[in-house]
Amino acid sequence: MSKISPEIKRKVEELREKINYHNYLYHVLDQPEITDAEYDRLFDQLVQLEKKYPELVTPDSPTQRVGAGPLTEFKTIRHSLPMLSLNKASSQEEFLDFHSRVLELSGTDEKRIKYAVEPKFDGLAVEIVYENGVFTLGSTRGDGIIGEDVTQNLKTIKTIPLKLLSKSAKVPKLLEIRGEVIIPKKDFEKLNKEREKKGEPLYANPRNTAAGSVRQLDPRITAARPLGMFAHGIGLLENGKLSSHSEILKYLKQSGIRVNENWKLCHTVEEVINFYEKILEIRDKLDYELDGIVIKVDDFALQNKLGGLSRSPRWAIAWKFPPQQEQTQILDIQVNVGRTGALTPVAILKPVRVGGVEVRRATLHNEDEMNKKDVRIGDIVIIQRAGDVIPEVVQVIKANRTGKEKKFKFPDRCPVCGSKVERLEGEATYRCTGIACPAQLKERISHFASKGGLNMEGLGYKFIEQMVDLGLVKDPADLFYLEKKDLMKMERMGEKLASNLLKAIENGKKTDLPHLIYALGIRNVGEHMAQVLAREFKSIDSLAKRKPEELTEIFEIGPIVAQSIYNFFHDQKNLKILEKMKKAGLVFPIHKEVTKKTPITGKFFVLTGGLASFSRDEAKRILESMGARVASSVSKNTDFVVVGENPGSKLAEAQKLGIKTLKEEEFKKLIGK
Ligand code: 5U1
């Protein structure tokens, strides 16, 4: 190793400081003080020095934005504090209801309530962790509890500093920031123009492109996309004293993190309403997509008093902008059969862009809705799209009728299996009565294996269709009994693919409780409700025992959901399938959750060697349930290396870096076992 003089070290440090500062002026304040050419010169000098003295390269050097090669998969991480979502208001009245609730629950005088209001970005929610001022971990929100580790990808985003500015703000030991990754509208259009020139398919909208770009396994692809980020809050902050949301926003900006400048501290509800109207008015002129504003009680003491529900705080609300509408023509009407046998009429549309998204299909909901609107094939209609909701037909423009439009007759037989369809009293939906309807079975199995369910990677709809058509599976539990020779009966199946599918099915047996509940496909139980149920009841056995009146005691569970859950667990067929799954080795997990800070919250662990009292997976689960993070390799960010029997090279690495090692007994003491 060549000897490096203190001057060189100082020079490298000085260049990094300068580059970080100019990044801040450019990306955060939008007030550059030097030309692009001058900036490039500074950057080049640093690149040259780091090339000559590679020992001086650090992960937070501005040259290290694209430092890593492609991954084979993302690791998952547990957020130290859940990343909550927001309750929604879609009118002034609903916002005022929220305000009344805040007054009532906080028992506070109206004059004392201040609201911090800010735009709501339509992007991908992420968390970035800084330890001692250095970016160490970046993750997606995921389900709010567990996200994906996309550190290398988020590091490529220039508006996210690799190191916090330390001049005006004291660097905290730990700072977790939360924000939204977006693609500016202009950059999105440019990106699509380039794709058009190359004859490549166009991206649908900035939001999905931003989300897809962050979830690339190769960070070089992410780096080539014009991503940005706006921070709007924090998770954990160690050694920091802040007492309001507006202080957070100021603090983030001082620390070099980009915060959107269009936020305001409002002292009255009228000011909030004016803010909403102003942002709605300038929305189309802004270079990023918004879908509303976010209103937060500013004072932390009041926020704490108001508390939260399982998924969302009571002290904040998203006031959404009205949905976007467009006009197009209905080319055809088809009927879809869902996994519960429900028949839904769907309008096939002449493609139209609504709020930047191409829409080709829109729901007509049910027969009554269709009749009420008098929808016919060939009609010119208004469709609307609001956020992630499926686009819907809202109105027929009857003045445009030519007389050629055709009425649609709702089928009395299931379009998939030909069984009779029935409509129960009081219900708006027709359902297929065929107990063996392949559409239901295929949809059910596809739901079971989906990412939100048991995440059987590679088991797509095409394979499921074949499995059902060949009679290989008659219910979701049958998946666990498939053998290679069964799979080899399918078209375009090879030994390797069959092994991979079997492995994916096997992996599905070790899931967590929210995923398992969702996978079961209980009517009215989506991913969020599955989280709520897991949190409240901790196990399938406990959930299965609940009567509807016990279930409705939980906030967020209404009588319809409660009845669906009760019905599901009181159907002998379902119980038999659950038993069959258990017999095949599907683990029915117990839900554990971090509810409070523990001494190891936010700490990084690495495990090496075999432990006598726990399997590697158990140790990992315990640590994660206490808010710690488990990494697969030792780095300078590791806090503890747990050393079992026959440790690998990680022990030597830990010793080299001076990282604390724990023997099994010490580890057990630390986790209170
Ligand atoms: N601007 C902004 N977006 N957003 C999203 N603020 C904000 N806050 C959020 C979310 C989910 O949540 C906190 C209020 C918990």
Side-chain angles (χ1 to χ4, degrees):
M1 196 199 286
S2 54
K3 184 104 177 67
I4 306 171
S5 71
E7 284 91 290
I8 297 288
K9 286 186 185 160
R10 212 171 311 122
K11 178 77 192 161
V12 165
E13 260 321 298
E14 201 182 292
L15 280 168
R16 285 183 189 154
E17 290 253 325
K18 269 193 190 160
I19 293 169
N20 284 339
Y21 177 64
H22 290 295
N23 273 339
Y24 172 67
L25 292 177
Y26 186 89
H27 292 294
V28 179
L29 300 187
D30 201 11
Q31 288 166 357
E33 283 176 0
I34 57 173
T35 62
D36 289 356
E38 278 171 285
Y39 178 88
D40 290 345
R41 259 197 303 279
L42 290 174
F43 200 88
D44 275 350
Q45 278 182 43
L46 180 61
V47 169
Q48 292 312 324
L49 281 172
E50 287 185 350
K51 212 163 153 187
K52 193 158 170 198
Y53 306 104
E55 306 91 308
L56 292 184
V57 178
T58 56
D60 61 335
S61 169
T63 59
Q64 295 305 295
R65 288 205 180 265
V66 198
L71 300 170
T72 48
E73 59 173 4
F74 292 119
K75 284 192 221 121
T76 52
I77 64 106
R78 178 176 280 265
H79 302 294
S80 5
L81 294 177
M83 286 182 76
L84 300 174
S85 56
L86 291 160
N87 281 323
K88 302 197 173 43
S90 44
S91 62
Q92 185 170 312
E93 201 185 345
E94 286 177 12
F95 157 60
L96 292 174
D97 285 347
F98 160 79
H99 175 60
S100 305
R101 277 196 305 277
V102 166
L103 289 182
E104 190 187 321
L105 293 169
S106 63
T108 307
D109 176 9
E110 176 146 27
K111 290 196 197 80
R112 281 200 46 223
I113 304 237
K114 281 178 274 174
Y115 289 113
V117 290
E118 55 197 272
K120 183 171 185 304
F121 308 100
D122 200 8
L124 177 80
V126 295
E127 176 173 77
I128 291 152
V129 180
Y130 290 91
E131 287 175 86
N132 299 313
V134 177
F135 178 152
T136 51
L137 183 74
S139 57
T140 58
R141 174 181 184 274
D143 62 9
I145 307 287
I146 291 178
E148 282 176 325
D149 180 346
V150 287
T151 307
Q152 296 309 334
N153 292 351
L154 294 182
K155 275 190 172 176
T156 69
I157 300 179
K158 296 199 181 66
T159 47
I160 304 178
L162 298 180
K163 199 172 168 192
L164 297 179
L165 273 194
S166 51
K167 276 198 178 138
S168 38
K170 199 169 156 273
V171 171
K173 210 165 158 237
L174 176 73
L175 168 64
E176 298 176 343
I177 67 157
R178 274 125 190 233
E180 206 86 9
V181 173
I182 50 118
I183 293 191
K185 288 185 204 163
K186 267 203 216 93
D187 290 323
F188 178 73
E189 275 160 28
K190 209 167 122 201
L191 194 65
N192 259 349
K193 277 209 181 99
E194 282 160 14
R195 288 181 74 83
E196 199 173 8
K197 256 196 231 153
K198 287 192 234 155
E200 292 170 347
L202 301 191
Y203 292 126
N205 60 58
R207 192 210 164 271
N208 291 2
T209 315
S213 304
V214 171
R215 296 196 64 263
Q216 291 290 328
L217 289 168
D218 185 347
R220 285 167 301 189
I221 300 179
T222 314
R225 305 268 169 87
L227 298 166
M229 190 198 71
F230 285 117
H232 56 60
I234 61 170
L236 285 180
L237 167 64
E238 272 179 33
N239 326 346
K241 284 193 202 78
L242 298 173
S243 62
S244 66
H245 186 70
S246 47
E247 282 179 20
I248 289 185
L249 296 178
K250 288 179 202 156
Y251 171 77
L252 289 175
K253 187 172 171 187
Q254 275 176 24
S255 305
I257 293 164
R258 187 164 71 142
V259 172
N260 188 269
E261 69 279 11
N262 287 314
W263 70 272
K264 187 173 181 222
L265 186 61
C266 297
H267 296 75
T268 62
V269 281
E270 288 75 26
E271 280 186 51
V272 176
I273 294 167
N274 287 340
F275 180 84
Y276 173 87
E277 279 162 4
K278 182 191 130 199
I279 299 290
L280 182 59
E281 197 183 304
I282 63 167
R283 170 194 197 183
D284 289 335
K285 293 188 198 99
L286 296 173
D287 194 25
Y288 36 84
E289 293 210 314
L290 302 182
D291 55 2
I293 65 164
V294 182
I295 302 155
K296 298 172 185 169
V297 170
D298 192 46
D299 181 52
F300 284 171
L302 272 184
Q303 284 187 5
N304 287 336
K305 209 165 170 190
L306 287 159
L309 310 169
S310 61
R311 162 182 87 118
S312 49
R314 284 202 189 89
W315 44 265
I317 197 156
W319 184 356
K320 304 274 281 198
F321 291 148
Q324 289 170 308
Q325 299 191 333
E326 275 306 334
Q327 202 172 303
T328 186
Q329 189 175 25
I330 297 187
L331 302 178
D332 196 6
I333 294 177
Q334 294 176 355
V335 174
N336 264 11
V337 187
R339 85 188 132 82
T340 58
L343 269 61
T344 308
V346 177
I348 309 300
L349 305 170
K350 194 165 164 188
V352 60
R353 291 187 86 73
V354 190
V357 178
E358 188 170 87
V359 177
R360 292 167 174 272
R361 299 158 73 83
T363 180
L364 291 161
H365 299 292
N366 55 53
E367 191 188 26
D368 289 352
E369 278 289 316
M370 263 175 73
N371 290 343
K372 205 162 81 192
K373 291 176 191 146
D374 186 18
V375 179
R376 301 179 192 179
I377 298 168
D379 267 340
I380 303 294
V381 288
I382 294 175
I383 60 157
Q384 89 172 9
R385 190 189 140 243
D388 281 344
V389 184
I390 302 167
E392 60 173 350
V393 172
V394 276
Q395 192 194 332
V396 174
I397 308 182
K398 296 209 174 120
N400 284 11
R401 280 207 171 140
T402 61
K404 288 194 185 139
E405 294 75 17
K406 278 194 275 172
K407 282 198 172 183
F408 176 77
K409 187 169 169 328
F410 213 81
D412 53 6
R413 297 253 159 207
C414 169
V416 177
C417 73
S419 304
K420 272 186 78 110
V421 298
E422 67 174 18
R423 183 174 163 180
L424 299 180
E425 217 182 287
E427 278 204 9
T429 313
Y430 279 98
R431 283 179 201 283
C432 164
T433 54
I435 45 167
C437 174
Q440 289 178 56
L441 184 57
K442 286 171 191 171
E443 291 285 340
R444 219 165 219 290
I445 295 176
S446 165
H447 178 87
F448 186 68
S450 68
K451 197 149 194 261
L454 299 198
N455 193 15
M456 297 173 176
E457 234 173 279
L459 186 53
Y461 200 75
K462 288 249 147 65
F463 288 134
I464 292 169
E465 270 189 314
Q466 286 196 62
M467 286 174 182
V468 173
D469 292 342
L470 290 168
L472 299 175
V473 289
K474 297 201 169 58
D475 62 51
D478 280 341
L479 284 178
F480 298 125
Y481 294 87
L482 286 171
E483 293 177 20
K484 203 181 221 172
K485 64 175 176 8
D486 301 320
L487 297 188
M488 293 307 288
K489 292 181 192 155
M490 298 185 350
E491 263 173 37
R492 279 191 229 119
M493 182 57 60
E495 291 271 339
K496 178 120 193 346
L497 186 52
S499 303
N500 285 346
L501 285 180
L502 288 176
K503 214 184 283 162
I505 293 171
E506 190 60 29
N507 285 343
K509 289 181 184 170
K510 292 167 269 159
T511 186
D512 60 16
L513 188 58
H515 284 85
L516 177 58
I517 296 177
Y518 176 76
L520 297 179
I522 305 170
R523 228 155 117 193
N524 303 309
V525 175
E527 284 182 86
H528 170 62
M529 187 50 68
Q531 289 275 356
V532 173
L533 294 171
R535 231 164 276 160
E536 292 295 335
F537 299 107
K538 311 282 186 243
S539 72
I540 291 281
D541 290 344
S542 158
L543 175 63
K545 276 192 229 141
R546 305 295 154 164
K547 300 202 180 77
E549 56 273 25
E550 290 175 82
L551 291 162
T552 47
E553 273 171 23
I554 310 298
F555 190 87
E556 290 195 276
I557 304 184
I560 296 177
V561 176
Q563 196 59 47
S564 301
I565 297 167
Y566 181 83
N567 291 351
F568 182 89
F569 289 108
H570 286 78
D571 178 328
Q572 286 308 316
K573 263 199 312 224
N574 291 342
L575 297 183
K576 257 197 189 147
I577 293 176
L578 284 178
E579 209 38 56
K580 192 164 149 190
M581 289 176 182
K582 219 178 204 174
K583 249 197 200 141
L586 174 71
V587 180
F588 280 25
I590 304 294
H591 191 63
K592 295 204 186 91
E593 198 188 334
V594 207
T595 45
K596 59 180 193 307
K597 211 167 160 240
T598 74
I600 56 169
T601 297
K603 299 277 184 239
F604 279 77
F605 281 74
V606 170
L607 306 169
T608 181
L611 299 172
S613 319
F614 322 88
S615 70
R616 180 73 65 96
D617 270 345
E618 272 167 345
K620 187 165 180 270
R621 263 201 302 275
I622 294 170
L623 285 168
E624 286 178 344
S625 73
M626 294 176 72
R629 299 197 177 89
V630 181
S632 49
S633 57
V634 179
S635 75
K636 70 179 183 27
N637 298 322
T638 310
D639 294 293
F640 298 102
V641 175
V642 180
V643 184
E645 284 293 315
N646 302 320
S649 60
K650 290 172 195 165
L651 173 59
E653 279 163 42
Q655 285 163 341
K656 198 167 100 196
L657 292 170
I659 288 160
K660 182 149 180 52
T661 56
L662 298 173
K663 297 209 188 84
E664 182 160 3
E665 280 319 299
E666 293 168 300
F667 172 62
K668 279 165 82 172
K669 215 158 147 192
L670 186 68
I671 59 174
K673 296 274 168 199

